[in-house]
Amino acid sequence: MRDLVYPPVISFMKAAFRALDLRITLEGGEHIPSTGGAVLASNHVSYLDFIFCGFAAQPAKRLVRFMAKQEVFANKVGGPLMRGMHHIPVDRDAGLASYKAALAALKAGEVVGVFPEATISTSFVPKEFKNGAVRMAAAAGVPLVPMAVWGTQRLWTKGRKRTLTKRHVPVTILVGEALRPGRRDDHVQINAELRARITELVDRAQREYPDKPDGPDDSWWLPAHLGGSAPGPTLAAGGD
């Protein structure tokens, strides 16, 4: 694909990271292949996750094509950018077309980014996973790379005011070793393994995160099991 939009967007975002002095920690970037197709599967805690998941592929010099809901492409500002970066729209009422588009991109050697939870987890704990990431990786014969992002919810997440100019926020990006699902493998079992690996990465990112809430009013971004005031998974499921 010809990329006239993606490189300048990346340069702009890197400049923004520097201006805001975001403290980005990236580990495991070597697990993202430098050539050929791959599926990146991440947890989802923020509207900005795709930016930081894409940042993880920079050491491999790859551009990630993210699957995102159709509404994002309808936005007057975001839509042209998303299309220019060759991201893949997902119409939840006609999911087969987006699946085929992602599969074609993978077979063409592209890296496709997926959020298997399909929506932001307001508990900041991984929700149940859809199995599309596993099915695509198996059908295309490409690696399935688990990853986790943490800290991005402090900038912009569901149900909270945007704080895009907040400075010095630590953001953690952890990438794990790839799974290699095959067509004849048990995709339900592999999906469970994918969720377990991502949950393990999320747990590590949370426990090693260098910041703590600045008192009770700032504990909303920390999950309940770590003493934060985010709703537990059961309550959060009712609000998504």
Side-chain angles (χ1 to χ4, degrees):
M1 295 183 185
R2 293 187 63 196
D3 283 287
L4 302 177
V5 176
Y6 218 144
V9 168
I10 290 174
S11 297
F12 174 81
M13 294 311 306
K14 286 182 176 179
F17 295 165
R18 290 192 295 269
L20 294 173
D21 190 31
L22 297 185
R23 293 179 282 159
I24 300 175
T25 298
L26 168 60
E27 293 185 18
E30 69 274 9
H31 296 306
I32 298 175
S34 57
T35 60
V39 176
L40 301 188
S42 175
N43 68 313
H44 201 9
V45 294
S46 165
Y47 292 112
L48 305 176
D49 289 339
F50 75 98
I51 295 173
F52 293 94
C53 290
F55 183 81
Q58 286 293 289
K61 298 181 179 180
R62 304 302 302 274
L63 300 176
V64 184
R65 318 300 176 178
F66 285 95
M67 302 186 74
K69 60 183 181 180
Q70 180 68 46
E71 290 83 351
V72 178
F73 291 81
N75 183 277
K76 292 182 179 180
V77 176
L81 288 174
M82 295 293 283
R83 287 187 288 273
M85 290 184 281
H86 305 294
H87 294 314
I88 302 167
V90 177
D91 184 343
R92 293 180 179 177
D93 294 326
L96 183 59
S98 57
Y99 175 85
K100 288 182 176 179
L103 196 59
L106 291 169
K107 291 181 177 179
E110 298 285 346
V111 178
V112 173
V114 179
F115 298 104
E117 296 164 275
T119 186
I120 289 173
S121 169
T122 54
S123 71
F124 307 131
V125 175
K127 299 159 61 75
E128 292 300 315
F129 279 17
K130 307 292 185 182
N131 66 2
V134 174
R135 291 192 295 113
M136 286 191 299
V142 300
L144 173 59
V145 184
M147 62 184 303
V149 291
W150 185 249
T152 56
Q153 75 277 19
R154 298 177 67 189
L155 299 171
W156 188 15
T157 192
K158 183 181 290 186
R160 303 291 305 190
K161 185 178 179 180
R162 284 178 289 186
T163 54
L164 300 179
T165 57
K166 188 176 180 66
R167 292 173 54 79
H168 316 304
V169 175
V171 173
T172 303
I173 310 166
L174 302 179
V175 186
E177 293 186 11
L179 293 90
R180 296 186 176 273
R183 290 176 178 269
R184 297 185 179 182
D185 291 338
D186 185 337
H187 293 172
V188 172
Q189 181 179 351
I190 295 173
N191 197 44
E193 175 64 19
L194 174 67
R195 183 172 183 267
R197 291 195 186 190
I198 291 177
T199 299
E200 183 177 352
L201 291 171
V202 171
D203 184 67
R204 180 187 155 202
Q206 291 172 342
R207 295 185 185 279
E208 295 180 358
Y209 193 67
D211 269 11
K212 302 296 181 186
D214 294 327
D217 291 341
D218 188 47
S219 66
W220 62 267
W221 56 266
L222 200 62
H225 74 277
L226 292 179
S229 58
T234 302
L235 293 174
D240 284 355

